[in-house]
Amino acid sequence: MLRRFLAASLIAATAALSLAPSPAEAQDRRVQLVNASRSTIVSFHASNSKRSSWEEDILGNDVLEPGHSVTINIDDGTGACVFDFLTILQGGQRIERRGVNVCEVSTYTIR
């Protein structure tokens, strides 16, 4: 009887653990994008570092004026924490930053 109870408890605990998100999945991937530059940010891309191309412009039709910020959820559904960022400023200047851990970084500032 005790053996059955222990086996059932072990099965229940294993099932509960398999439903719980892994530490990477449970991480907050929201990053505040701060425009501390003198130029308007016209597009911002965040792509999983394992990908070879840039994802779509997160800002869409919007822009980010100097002195403003926006909070972006950079969760692509894969559980990844490391992303590459591409910022394009008005006038065409491109700023790339590779290997940003969005599970640890809460603010990303363009200067």
Coordinates of all heavy atoms in Angstrom, one line a residue, residues 14-102:
T14 N 6.3 14.2 -11.0 CA 7.0 14.3 -12.3 C 6.1 15.0 -13.3 O 6.5 15.8 -14.1 CB 7.3 12.8 -12.8 OG1 8.1 12.2 -11.8 CG2 8.0 12.8 -14.1
A15 N 4.8 14.7 -13.2 CA 3.9 15.3 -14.2 C 3.8 16.8 -13.9 O 3.8 17.6 -14.8 CB 2.5 14.7 -14.0
A16 N 3.8 17.2 -12.6 CA 3.8 18.6 -12.3 C 5.0 19.4 -12.8 O 5.0 20.5 -13.3 CB 3.6 18.8 -10.8
L17 N 6.2 18.7 -12.6 CA 7.4 19.3 -13.1 C 7.5 19.4 -14.6 O 8.0 20.4 -15.1 CB 8.6 18.5 -12.6 CG 8.9 18.7 -11.1 CD1 10.1 17.7 -10.7 CD2 9.3 20.1 -10.8
S18 N 6.9 18.5 -15.3 CA 6.9 18.6 -16.8 C 6.0 19.7 -17.3 O 6.2 20.1 -18.4 CB 6.5 17.2 -17.4 OG 5.2 16.9 -17.1
L19 N 5.0 20.0 -16.5 CA 4.1 21.1 -17.0 C 4.7 22.5 -16.6 O 4.3 23.5 -17.2 CB 2.8 21.0 -16.3 CG 2.0 19.7 -16.8 CD1 0.7 19.6 -16.0 CD2 1.7 19.7 -18.3
A20 N 5.6 22.6 -15.6 CA 6.2 23.8 -15.2 C 7.1 24.3 -16.3 O 7.9 23.6 -16.9 CB 6.9 23.7 -13.9
P21 N 7.1 25.6 -16.5 CA 8.0 26.2 -17.5 C 9.5 26.1 -17.1 O 9.8 26.1 -15.9 CB 7.6 27.7 -17.6 CG 6.9 28.0 -16.4 CD 6.3 26.7 -15.9
S22 N 10.4 25.8 -18.0 CA 11.8 25.8 -17.7 C 12.2 27.2 -17.3 O 11.6 28.2 -17.6 CB 12.6 25.3 -18.9 OG 12.6 26.3 -19.9
P23 N 13.4 27.3 -16.6 CA 13.8 28.7 -16.2 C 13.9 29.7 -17.4 O 13.5 30.8 -17.2 CB 15.2 28.4 -15.6 CG 15.1 27.0 -15.1 CD 14.3 26.3 -16.1
A24 N 14.3 29.3 -18.6 CA 14.4 30.2 -19.7 C 13.0 30.6 -20.2 O 12.8 31.7 -20.6 CB 15.2 29.5 -20.9
E25 N 12.1 29.6 -20.1 CA 10.7 29.9 -20.6 C 10.0 30.9 -19.6 O 9.2 31.6 -20.0 CB 9.9 28.7 -20.7 CG 10.4 27.8 -21.9 CD 9.7 26.4 -21.9 OE1 9.2 26.0 -20.9 OE2 9.8 25.8 -23.0
A26 N 10.4 30.8 -18.3 CA 9.8 31.7 -17.3 C 10.3 33.1 -17.3 O 9.8 33.9 -16.5 CB 9.9 31.0 -16.0
Q27 N 11.4 33.3 -18.0 CA 12.1 34.6 -17.9 C 11.2 35.7 -18.6 O 10.5 35.5 -19.5 CB 13.4 34.6 -18.7 CG 14.4 33.6 -18.0 CD 14.9 34.1 -16.7 OE1 15.1 35.3 -16.5 NE2 15.1 33.2 -15.8
D28 N 11.4 36.9 -18.1 CA 10.7 38.1 -18.6 C 11.6 38.6 -19.8 O 12.8 38.9 -19.6 CB 10.6 39.2 -17.5 CG 9.9 40.4 -18.0 OD1 9.5 40.5 -19.2 OD2 9.7 41.3 -17.2
R29 N 11.0 38.7 -21.0 CA 11.8 39.2 -22.1 C 11.3 40.6 -22.6 O 11.5 41.0 -23.7 CB 11.6 38.2 -23.3 CG 12.3 36.9 -23.0 CD 11.9 35.8 -24.0 NE 12.6 34.6 -23.8 CZ 12.2 33.7 -22.9 NH1 11.2 33.9 -22.1 NH2 12.9 32.6 -22.7
R30 N 10.7 41.3 -21.6 CA 10.4 42.7 -22.0 C 11.6 43.6 -21.8 O 12.3 43.5 -20.8 CB 9.2 43.2 -21.1 CG 7.9 42.5 -21.5 CD 6.8 43.0 -20.6 NE 7.2 42.4 -19.2 CZ 6.4 42.5 -18.1 NH1 5.3 43.2 -18.2 NH2 6.8 42.0 -17.0
V31 N 11.8 44.4 -22.8 CA 13.0 45.3 -22.8 C 12.5 46.7 -23.1 O 11.7 46.9 -24.0 CB 14.1 44.9 -23.8 CG1 15.2 45.9 -23.9 CG2 14.6 43.5 -23.5
Q32 N 12.9 47.7 -22.3 CA 12.5 49.1 -22.5 C 13.6 49.6 -23.5 O 14.8 49.7 -23.2 CB 12.5 49.9 -21.3 CG 12.1 51.3 -21.5 CD 12.1 52.2 -20.2 OE1 12.8 51.9 -19.3 NE2 11.2 53.2 -20.2
L33 N 13.1 50.0 -24.7 CA 14.0 50.6 -25.7 C 13.9 52.1 -25.5 O 12.9 52.7 -25.6 CB 13.5 50.3 -27.1 CG 14.1 51.0 -28.3 CD1 15.6 50.6 -28.4 CD2 13.4 50.6 -29.6
V34 N 15.1 52.7 -25.2 CA 15.2 54.1 -24.9 C 16.0 54.8 -26.0 O 17.1 54.4 -26.4 CB 16.0 54.3 -23.6 CG1 16.1 55.8 -23.3 CG2 15.3 53.6 -22.4
N35 N 15.4 55.8 -26.6 CA 16.1 56.6 -27.6 C 16.7 57.8 -27.0 O 16.1 58.9 -26.7 CB 15.1 57.0 -28.7 CG 15.8 57.7 -29.9 OD1 17.0 57.9 -29.8 ND2 15.1 58.0 -30.9
A36 N 18.0 57.7 -26.6 CA 18.8 58.8 -26.0 C 19.6 59.5 -27.1 O 20.5 60.3 -26.8 CB 19.6 58.3 -24.9
S37 N 19.4 59.2 -28.4 CA 20.1 59.8 -29.5 C 19.4 61.1 -29.9 O 18.4 61.5 -29.3 CB 20.2 58.8 -30.7 OG 19.0 58.8 -31.3
R38 N 20.0 61.7 -30.9 CA 19.4 63.0 -31.4 C 18.6 62.7 -32.7 O 18.1 63.6 -33.3 CB 20.5 64.0 -31.7 CG 21.2 64.4 -30.5 CD 22.3 65.5 -30.8 NE 23.0 65.8 -29.6 CZ 23.9 66.8 -29.5 NH1 24.2 67.4 -30.6 NH2 24.5 67.0 -28.4
S39 N 18.5 61.4 -33.0 CA 17.8 61.0 -34.2 C 16.6 60.2 -33.9 O 16.6 59.5 -32.9 CB 18.7 60.2 -35.2 OG 19.8 61.0 -35.6
T40 N 15.6 60.2 -34.8 CA 14.4 59.3 -34.6 C 14.7 57.9 -35.0 O 15.4 57.7 -36.0 CB 13.3 59.9 -35.5 OG1 12.9 61.2 -35.1 CG2 12.0 59.0 -35.4
I41 N 14.3 57.0 -34.2 CA 14.5 55.5 -34.5 C 13.3 55.2 -35.5 O 12.1 55.4 -35.1 CB 14.5 54.6 -33.3 CG1 15.7 54.9 -32.4 CG2 14.4 53.2 -33.7 CD1 15.7 54.2 -31.1
V42 N 13.6 54.8 -36.7 CA 12.5 54.5 -37.7 C 12.2 53.0 -37.7 O 11.1 52.6 -38.2 CB 12.9 55.1 -39.1 CG1 12.9 56.6 -39.0 CG2 14.2 54.5 -39.6
S43 N 13.1 52.2 -37.3 CA 12.8 50.7 -37.2 C 13.7 50.1 -36.2 O 14.9 50.5 -35.9 CB 12.9 50.0 -38.6 OG 14.2 50.0 -39.0
F44 N 13.2 49.0 -35.6 CA 13.9 48.2 -34.6 C 13.6 46.8 -34.8 O 12.5 46.4 -34.9 CB 13.6 48.7 -33.2 CG 14.3 47.9 -32.1 CD1 15.6 48.3 -31.8 CD2 13.8 46.9 -31.4 CE1 16.4 47.6 -30.8 CE2 14.5 46.2 -30.4 CZ 15.8 46.6 -30.1
H45 N 14.7 46.0 -34.9 CA 14.5 44.5 -35.2 C 15.2 43.8 -34.1 O 16.3 44.1 -33.7 CB 15.1 44.2 -36.5 CG 14.6 45.0 -37.7 ND1 13.6 44.5 -38.5 CD2 15.0 46.2 -38.1 CE1 13.4 45.5 -39.4 NE2 14.2 46.5 -39.2
A46 N 14.6 42.7 -33.6 CA 15.2 41.8 -32.6 C 15.1 40.4 -33.1 O 13.9 39.9 -33.3 CB 14.6 42.0 -31.3
S47 N 16.2 39.7 -33.4 CA 16.1 38.4 -34.0 C 16.9 37.4 -33.1 O 18.0 37.8 -32.6 CB 16.7 38.4 -35.4 OG 16.0 39.2 -36.3
N48 N 16.3 36.3 -32.9 CA 17.0 35.2 -32.1 C 18.4 35.1 -32.7 O 18.5 35.0 -34.0 CB 16.1 33.9 -32.3 CG 16.6 32.8 -31.6 OD1 17.9 32.6 -31.4 ND2 15.7 32.0 -31.1
S49 N 19.4 35.0 -31.9 CA 20.8 35.0 -32.4 C 21.1 33.7 -33.2 O 22.0 33.7 -34.0 CB 21.7 35.0 -31.2 OG 21.8 36.3 -30.7
K50 N 20.2 32.7 -33.2 CA 20.4 31.5 -33.9 C 19.9 31.7 -35.4 O 20.1 30.8 -36.2 CB 19.7 30.3 -33.3 CG 20.4 30.0 -31.9 CD 19.7 28.8 -31.3 CE 20.3 28.4 -30.0 NZ 19.7 27.3 -29.3
R51 N 19.2 32.8 -35.7 CA 18.7 33.0 -37.0 C 19.7 33.8 -37.9 O 20.4 34.6 -37.3 CB 17.4 33.7 -36.9 CG 16.4 32.9 -36.1 CD 15.0 33.2 -36.4 NE 14.2 32.3 -35.6 CZ 12.9 32.4 -35.4 NH1 12.3 33.3 -36.1 NH2 12.3 31.5 -34.7
S52 N 19.6 33.6 -39.2 CA 20.5 34.3 -40.1 C 20.0 35.5 -40.7 O 20.6 36.2 -41.5 CB 21.0 33.3 -41.1 OG 19.9 32.8 -41.9
S53 N 18.7 35.8 -40.4 CA 18.1 37.0 -41.0 C 17.3 37.8 -39.9 O 17.0 37.3 -38.9 CB 17.1 36.6 -42.1 OG 16.1 35.8 -41.6
W54 N 17.1 39.1 -40.2 CA 16.3 39.9 -39.3 C 14.9 39.7 -39.3 O 14.3 39.5 -40.4 CB 16.6 41.4 -39.6 CG 18.0 41.8 -39.4 CD1 19.0 42.1 -40.3 CD2 18.7 41.9 -38.1 NE1 20.2 42.3 -39.7 CE2 20.0 42.3 -38.3 CE3 18.3 41.7 -36.8 CZ2 20.9 42.4 -37.3 CZ3 19.2 41.9 -35.8 CH2 20.5 42.3 -36.0
E55 N 14.2 39.7 -38.2 CA 12.8 39.6 -38.1 C 12.2 40.9 -38.5 O 12.9 41.9 -38.7 CB 12.4 39.2 -36.6 CG 12.9 37.9 -36.2 CD 12.2 36.7 -36.9 OE1 11.0 36.8 -37.3 OE2 12.9 35.7 -37.1
E56 N 10.8 41.0 -38.5 CA 10.2 42.2 -38.9 C 10.4 43.3 -38.0 O 10.8 43.1 -36.8 CB 8.7 41.9 -39.1 CG 7.9 41.8 -37.8 CD 7.9 40.3 -37.2 OE1 8.4 39.4 -37.9 OE2 7.4 40.1 -36.1
D57 N 10.2 44.5 -38.5 CA 10.3 45.8 -37.7 C 9.3 45.8 -36.5 O 8.1 45.8 -36.8 CB 10.1 47.0 -38.6 CG 10.1 48.3 -37.9 OD1 10.6 48.3 -36.7 OD2 9.7 49.3 -38.5
I58 N 9.8 45.7 -35.3 CA 8.9 45.7 -34.1 C 8.1 47.0 -34.0 O 7.0 47.0 -33.6 CB 9.8 45.5 -32.9 CG1 10.3 44.0 -32.9 CG2 8.9 45.7 -31.6 CD1 11.3 43.7 -31.8
L59 N 8.6 48.1 -34.5 CA 7.9 49.4 -34.3 C 6.8 49.5 -35.4 O 5.9 50.3 -35.2 CB 8.9 50.6 -34.5 CG 9.9 50.7 -33.4 CD1 10.9 51.9 -33.7 CD2 9.3 50.9 -32.0
G60 N 6.9 48.7 -36.4 CA 5.8 48.7 -37.5 C 5.8 50.1 -38.1 O 6.8 50.6 -38.6
N61 N 4.6 50.7 -38.1 CA 4.4 52.0 -38.7 C 4.8 53.2 -37.8 O 4.8 54.3 -38.2 CB 3.0 52.2 -39.2 CG 2.6 51.3 -40.3 OD1 3.5 51.0 -41.2 ND2 1.4 50.9 -40.4
D62 N 5.2 52.8 -36.5 CA 5.5 53.8 -35.5 C 7.0 54.1 -35.6 O 7.8 53.4 -36.2 CB 5.2 53.4 -34.1 CG 3.7 53.2 -33.9 OD1 2.9 54.0 -34.5 OD2 3.3 52.3 -33.2
V63 N 7.4 55.2 -35.0 CA 8.8 55.6 -34.8 C 9.0 56.0 -33.4 O 8.0 56.1 -32.6 CB 9.2 56.8 -35.7 CG1 9.0 56.5 -37.2 CG2 8.4 58.1 -35.4
L64 N 10.3 56.1 -33.0 CA 10.6 56.4 -31.6 C 11.4 57.7 -31.6 O 12.6 57.7 -32.0 CB 11.3 55.3 -30.9 CG 11.5 55.4 -29.4 CD1 10.1 55.5 -28.7 CD2 12.3 54.2 -28.8
E65 N 10.8 58.8 -31.2 CA 11.4 60.1 -31.2 C 12.5 60.2 -30.2 O 12.5 59.5 -29.1 CB 10.4 61.2 -31.0 CG 9.3 61.3 -32.0 CD 9.7 61.8 -33.3 OE1 10.8 62.5 -33.4 OE2 9.0 61.5 -34.3
P66 N 13.5 61.1 -30.4 CA 14.5 61.3 -29.3 C 13.9 61.6 -28.0 O 12.9 62.4 -27.9 CB 15.3 62.5 -29.9 CG 15.1 62.4 -31.4 CD 13.7 61.9 -31.5
G67 N 14.5 61.1 -26.9 CA 14.0 61.3 -25.6 C 12.8 60.5 -25.2 O 12.3 60.6 -24.0
H68 N 12.3 59.6 -26.0 CA 11.2 58.7 -25.7 C 11.6 57.3 -25.6 O 12.7 56.9 -25.9 CB 10.1 58.8 -26.8 CG 9.4 60.1 -26.8 ND1 9.7 61.2 -27.7 CD2 8.4 60.6 -26.0 CE1 8.9 62.2 -27.4 NE2 8.1 61.9 -26.4
S69 N 10.7 56.5 -25.0 CA 11.0 55.0 -24.8 C 9.8 54.2 -25.0 O 8.7 54.8 -25.0 CB 11.6 54.8 -23.4 OG 10.6 55.1 -22.4
V70 N 9.9 53.0 -25.3 CA 8.8 52.0 -25.4 C 9.3 50.7 -24.9 O 10.4 50.3 -24.9 CB 8.4 51.9 -26.9 CG1 9.5 51.3 -27.8 CG2 7.1 51.1 -27.1
T71 N 8.3 50.0 -24.2 CA 8.6 48.6 -23.7 C 8.2 47.6 -24.8 O 7.1 47.7 -25.3 CB 7.9 48.4 -22.4 OG1 8.4 49.4 -21.4 CG2 8.2 47.0 -21.9
I72 N 9.1 46.7 -25.1 CA 8.9 45.7 -26.1 C 9.0 44.3 -25.5 O 10.0 44.1 -24.8 CB 9.9 45.9 -27.3 CG1 9.8 47.3 -27.9 CG2 9.8 44.8 -28.3 CD1 11.0 47.6 -28.8
N73 N 8.1 43.5 -25.9 CA 8.2 42.1 -25.5 C 8.9 41.3 -26.6 O 8.4 41.2 -27.7 CB 6.8 41.4 -25.2 CG 6.9 40.0 -24.7 OD1 8.0 39.5 -24.5 ND2 5.7 39.4 -24.4
I74 N 10.1 40.8 -26.3 CA 11.0 40.2 -27.3 C 10.9 38.7 -27.2 O 11.8 38.0 -27.6 CB 12.4 40.8 -27.2 CG1 12.4 42.3 -27.3 CG2 13.3 40.2 -28.3 CD1 13.7 43.0 -27.3
D75 N 9.8 38.2 -26.8 CA 9.6 36.7 -26.7 C 9.2 36.2 -28.1 O 8.1 36.5 -28.6 CB 8.6 36.4 -25.7 CG 8.5 34.9 -25.4 OD1 9.0 34.1 -26.1 OD2 7.8 34.6 -24.4
D76 N 10.0 35.3 -28.7 CA 9.6 34.8 -30.0 C 9.0 33.4 -29.9 O 8.7 32.7 -30.9 CB 10.8 34.7 -31.0 CG 11.9 33.7 -30.5 OD1 11.8 33.2 -29.4 OD2 12.8 33.5 -31.3
G77 N 8.7 32.9 -28.7 CA 8.1 31.7 -28.5 C 9.0 30.5 -28.5 O 8.5 29.3 -28.3
T78 N 10.3 30.7 -28.7 CA 11.2 29.5 -28.7 C 11.9 29.3 -27.3 O 12.5 28.3 -27.2 CB 12.4 29.8 -29.7 OG1 13.2 30.9 -29.3 CG2 11.8 30.1 -31.1
G79 N 11.7 30.2 -26.4 CA 12.4 30.1 -25.1 C 13.8 30.7 -25.1 O 14.5 30.6 -24.1
A80 N 14.2 31.2 -26.3 CA 15.5 31.8 -26.4 C 15.6 33.1 -25.5 O 14.7 33.8 -25.4 CB 15.8 32.1 -27.8
C81 N 16.8 33.4 -25.1 CA 17.1 34.6 -24.3 C 18.1 35.5 -25.1 O 18.1 36.7 -24.8 CB 17.7 34.3 -22.9 SG 16.5 33.6 -21.8
V82 N 18.8 35.0 -26.0 CA 19.9 35.7 -26.7 C 19.4 36.2 -28.0 O 19.0 35.4 -28.9 CB 21.2 35.0 -26.8 CG1 22.3 35.8 -27.4 CG2 21.6 34.5 -25.4
F83 N 19.4 37.5 -28.2 CA 18.9 38.1 -29.5 C 19.9 39.1 -30.0 O 20.7 39.7 -29.3 CB 17.6 38.8 -29.2 CG 16.4 37.9 -29.0 CD1 16.2 37.2 -27.9 CD2 15.5 37.7 -30.1 CE1 15.2 36.3 -27.7 CE2 14.5 36.8 -29.9 CZ 14.3 36.1 -28.8
D84 N 19.8 39.3 -31.3 CA 20.6 40.4 -32.0 C 19.6 41.5 -32.3 O 18.5 41.3 -32.6 CB 21.2 39.8 -33.3 CG 22.1 38.7 -33.1 OD1 22.8 38.6 -32.0 OD2 22.2 37.8 -34.0
F85 N 20.1 42.8 -32.1 CA 19.3 44.0 -32.3 C 19.8 44.7 -33.5 O 21.0 44.9 -33.7 CB 19.4 44.9 -31.1 CG 18.6 44.4 -29.8 CD1 18.8 45.0 -28.6 CD2 17.8 43.3 -29.9 CE1 18.2 44.6 -27.5 CE2 17.2 42.8 -28.7 CZ 17.4 43.5 -27.5
L86 N 18.9 45.2 -34.3 CA 19.2 46.2 -35.4 C 18.3 47.4 -35.2 O 17.1 47.3 -35.2 CB 19.0 45.5 -36.7 CG 19.0 46.4 -37.9 CD1 20.4 47.1 -38.1 CD2 18.6 45.7 -39.2
T87 N 19.0 48.5 -35.1 CA 18.3 49.8 -34.9 C 18.6 50.6 -36.2 O 19.8 50.7 -36.5 CB 18.7 50.6 -33.7 OG1 18.5 49.7 -32.5 CG2 17.9 51.8 -33.5
I88 N 17.6 51.2 -36.8 CA 17.8 52.0 -38.0 C 17.3 53.4 -37.6 O 16.1 53.6 -37.2 CB 17.1 51.5 -39.2 CG1 17.7 50.1 -39.6 CG2 17.4 52.5 -40.4 CD1 17.1 49.4 -40.7
L89 N 18.2 54.4 -37.7 CA 17.8 55.8 -37.4 C 17.4 56.5 -38.7 O 17.8 56.1 -39.8 CB 19.0 56.5 -36.8 CG 19.6 55.9 -35.5 CD1 20.8 56.6 -35.1 CD2 18.6 55.9 -34.4
Q90 N 16.7 57.6 -38.4 CA 16.3 58.5 -39.6 C 17.6 58.9 -40.3 O 18.6 59.3 -39.6 CB 15.5 59.7 -39.1 CG 14.9 60.5 -40.1 CD 13.9 61.5 -39.5 OE1 14.1 61.9 -38.3 NE2 13.0 62.0 -40.3
G91 N 17.7 58.8 -41.6 CA 18.9 59.1 -42.3 C 19.6 57.9 -42.7 O 20.6 57.9 -43.4
G92 N 19.2 56.7 -42.2 CA 19.7 55.4 -42.6 C 20.8 54.8 -41.8 O 21.2 53.7 -42.1
Q93 N 21.3 55.5 -40.7 CA 22.3 54.9 -39.9 C 21.8 53.6 -39.2 O 20.7 53.6 -38.7 CB 22.8 55.9 -38.8 CG 23.9 55.3 -37.9 CD 24.3 56.3 -36.8 OE1 23.8 57.4 -36.6 NE2 25.2 55.8 -35.9
R94 N 22.6 52.6 -39.3 CA 22.3 51.3 -38.8 C 23.2 51.0 -37.5 O 24.4 51.2 -37.6 CB 22.5 50.2 -39.8 CG 21.6 50.3 -41.0 CD 22.1 49.4 -42.1 NE 22.1 48.0 -41.8 CZ 21.2 47.1 -42.0 NH1 20.1 47.5 -42.7 NH2 21.3 45.8 -41.7
I95 N 22.6 50.6 -36.5 CA 23.3 50.2 -35.2 C 22.9 48.7 -34.9 O 21.8 48.4 -34.7 CB 22.9 51.1 -34.0 CG1 23.2 52.6 -34.4 CG2 23.6 50.6 -32.8 CD1 22.6 53.5 -33.4
E96 N 24.0 47.9 -35.0 CA 23.7 46.5 -34.7 C 24.4 46.1 -33.4 O 25.5 46.6 -33.1 CB 24.3 45.6 -35.8 CG 23.6 45.7 -37.1 CD 24.1 44.6 -38.1 OE1 24.6 43.6 -37.7 OE2 24.0 45.0 -39.3
R97 N 23.7 45.3 -32.6 CA 24.3 44.8 -31.4 C 24.0 43.3 -31.3 O 22.8 42.9 -31.4 CB 23.8 45.5 -30.2 CG 24.5 45.0 -28.9 CD 24.4 45.9 -27.8 NE 25.0 45.3 -26.6 CZ 24.6 45.5 -25.4 NH1 23.6 46.4 -25.2 NH2 25.1 44.9 -24.3
R98 N 24.9 42.5 -31.2 CA 24.7 41.0 -31.2 C 24.8 40.4 -29.8 O 25.5 41.0 -28.9 CB 25.8 40.3 -32.1 CG 25.9 40.9 -33.5 CD 25.2 40.1 -34.4 NE 25.2 40.7 -35.8 CZ 24.4 40.3 -36.7 NH1 23.5 39.4 -36.5 NH2 24.5 40.9 -37.9
G99 N 24.1 39.4 -29.6 CA 24.2 38.6 -28.3 C 23.6 39.3 -27.1 O 24.2 39.1 -26.0
V100 N 22.5 40.0 -27.2 CA 21.9 40.6 -26.1 C 21.0 39.6 -25.3 O 20.1 39.0 -25.9 CB 21.0 41.8 -26.5 CG1 20.4 42.5 -25.3 CG2 21.9 42.8 -27.3
N101 N 21.3 39.4 -24.1 CA 20.5 38.5 -23.3 C 19.3 39.2 -22.7 O 19.4 39.9 -21.7 CB 21.3 37.8 -22.2 CG 20.6 36.7 -21.4 OD1 19.3 36.7 -21.3 ND2 21.3 35.8 -20.9
V102 N 18.1 39.0 -23.4 CA 16.9 39.8 -23.0 C 16.3 39.2 -21.7 O 15.3 39.8 -21.2 CB 15.9 39.8 -24.1 CG1 16.5 40.6 -25.3 CG2 15.4 38.5 -24.5

